[in-house]
Amino acid sequence: MTWLVTGGAGYIGSHVARALMDDGHAVVVLDDLSSGRRGFVPSGAVLEEGTLLDTAFLAEVFGRYDLAGVIHLAGFKYAGVSVEWPLHTYFQNVSGTANLLAAMEAASVRSIVFSSSAAVYGNAAAEFVTEGTPTTPESPYGESKLIGEWLIADQARATGLRHTSLRYFNVVGSGSLEVLDTSPHNLFPLVFRALREGSIPKVFGTTYPTPDGSCVRDYVHVSDVAAAHVAAARRLQEGAELEAVYNLGSGSGVSVREIMAEMAAATGIPFSPQVCPARPGDPARIVASGELARRDIGWEPRYSLREMISSAWAAAEADAAATL
Ligand SMILES: NC(=O)c1ccc[n+]([C@@H]2O[C@H](COP(=O)([O-])OP(=O)(O)OC[C@H]3O[C@@H](n4cnc5c(N)ncnc54)[C@H](O)[C@@H]3O)[C@@H](O)[C@H]2O)c1
């Protein structure tokens, strides 16, 4: 069976592509390399280089392969930047998804797993965010992910498309030394860069109503996230009825201060973070309930926080050494 992985040259998509191949599937990656890297595409997968905004390219790709389904991860993921670039965000994430669905319909490809985000919940007040927690996205990015979910659900109602959307919480770690989170905005890459450059990592806000005053988040290893896609894809292929959305979170919250203490231990570089003012719009705590994914796709996060940190640090060190 061949699966198309959009965004398969990106951080999470390349882990998904590897996990699919390990599970015995053939993989075609569709990626415009806007934030991904050619070198992240696993050997054995085919790379179709181009954008979801090019409908002729999409028709060509769908004409070339007999696809069992699509795992759709391509998108613009910088929530903060999306506030400055709403149209760019909507073109990439909403128009791109609509084009993909049209190409799937034309080629009679009938299964899709979509990469959504905890950003759809905005500043949810719930102690544990469930799939039923109201969606109140706080950025064009979060809105674009919610619209992506709606587009897919509407297309499913109209055409019988089999689908599910996975709302990831904070995805970290690396499954291999060759692939890493390259985001210039995420906590892990920011702290690691600071440590390499000899500057002090920053913690934004220490007076939140949390046990140590810093923000609490729910971290999941990228290999666990990848495994959830493979499990969901399999269930869709088997004809199982899945929910429209699933949270992918561990159900346990970790504060930024706790993460930094673990980072100091895992890297062997002692540091005390520099305290900076809280950033507007950062919720105090956002932690998922992952019960539904456990029930329906048998998903259980396997990696510890220490493994998330040490694997991410090892991949960041390998990347820094390779670019010297
Ligand atoms: N990293 C996280 O913590 C996180 C959390 C929630 C959701 N997500 C979502 O997961 C997906 C993957 O995230 P990531 O962290 O791997 O990001 P990433 O930037 O590494 O990967 C995105 C990939 O999509 C490609 N791409 C972007 N626009 C494209 C287009 N129009 N056509 C073709 N390819 C395009 C990029 O080149 C890149 O390879 C994204 O949709 C993101 O919104 C990520």
Side-chain angles (χ1 to χ4, degrees):
M1 286 290 188
T2 303
W3 282 77
L4 182 74
V5 179
T6 76
Y11 166 50
I12 302 172
S14 65
H15 283 87
V16 170
R18 280 170 174 74
L20 278 169
M21 290 168 70
D22 289 346
D23 199 47
H25 304 277
V27 169
V28 177
V29 164
L30 186 156
D31 201 297
D32 65 1
L33 302 182
S34 53
S35 59
R37 293 187 189 172
R38 194 179 297 279
F40 284 2
V41 178
S43 61
V46 179
L47 171 62
E48 292 284 358
E49 186 178 339
T51 171
L52 291 171
L53 300 185
D54 181 345
T55 52
F57 165 68
L58 286 181
E60 275 171 38
V61 171
F62 276 84
R64 258 199 287 282
Y65 304 94
D66 181 17
L67 296 170
V70 175
I71 301 192
H72 174 35
L73 299 106
F76 182 72
K77 69 164 176 178
Y78 302 129
V81 182
S82 78
V83 177
E84 311 293 325
W85 292 2
L87 293 181
H88 177 78
T89 307
Y90 274 71
F91 279 127
Q92 300 303 315
N93 295 358
V94 178
S95 308
T97 300
N99 289 344
L100 178 67
L101 291 170
M104 289 177 68
E105 183 177 352
S108 299
V109 176
R110 311 188 57 78
S111 295
I112 186 168
V113 179
F114 174 54
S115 167
S116 187
S117 168
V120 301
Y121 296 115
N123 291 340
E127 192 187 354
F128 291 100
V129 173
T130 70
E131 291 77 358
T133 298
T135 47
T136 52
E138 296 256 324
S139 66
Y141 169 72
E143 288 164 350
S144 73
K145 287 290 173 183
L146 196 52
I147 295 171
E149 292 180 5
W150 292 341
L151 270 174
I152 290 167
D154 286 341
Q155 180 70 351
R157 265 189 290 277
T159 68
L161 180 71
R162 289 188 298 274
H163 69 105
T164 193
S165 295
L166 305 178
R167 294 174 172 169
Y168 326 150
F169 281 63
N170 292 66
V171 186
V172 296
S174 282
S176 72
L177 285 179
E178 297 84 50
V179 186
L180 70 158
D181 183 1
T182 56
S183 164
H185 306 287
N186 287 355
L187 176 69
F188 275 46
L190 281 172
V191 172
F192 293 157
R193 189 171 320 130
L195 292 179
R196 258 199 317 279
E197 289 168 356
S199 55
I200 303 173
K202 295 177 178 153
V203 51
F204 294 94
T206 52
T207 56
Y208 287 99
T210 58
D212 67 17
S214 66
C215 291
V216 169
R217 297 286 179 271
D218 186 337
Y219 294 88
V220 189
H221 194 290
V222 67
S223 296
D224 282 331
V225 169
H229 289 75
V230 175
R234 262 197 181 279
R235 295 290 155 93
L236 289 179
Q237 224 168 24
E238 291 160 3
E241 283 298 318
L242 293 183
E243 298 288 341
V245 297
Y246 291 97
N247 287 342
L248 294 186
S250 69
S252 58
V254 182
S255 77
V256 176
R257 278 193 183 284
E258 285 171 322
I259 285 275
M260 296 216 176
E262 282 284 337
M263 282 174 160
T267 61
I269 306 173
F271 68 92
S272 297
Q274 179 190 346
V275 174
C276 299
R279 292 178 299 198
D282 257 356
R285 172 192 155 94
I286 179 146
V287 177
S289 159
E291 276 308 307
L292 220 52
R294 202 161 288 131
R295 185 195 72 188
D296 288 1
I297 59 171
W299 183 68
E300 195 77 53
R302 294 165 302 161
Y303 291 90
S304 67
L305 186 62
R306 180 58 71 87
E307 287 167 316
M308 296 180 211
I309 292 172
S310 51
S311 64
W313 174 245
E317 286 286 89
D319 188 58
T323 49
L324 274 182

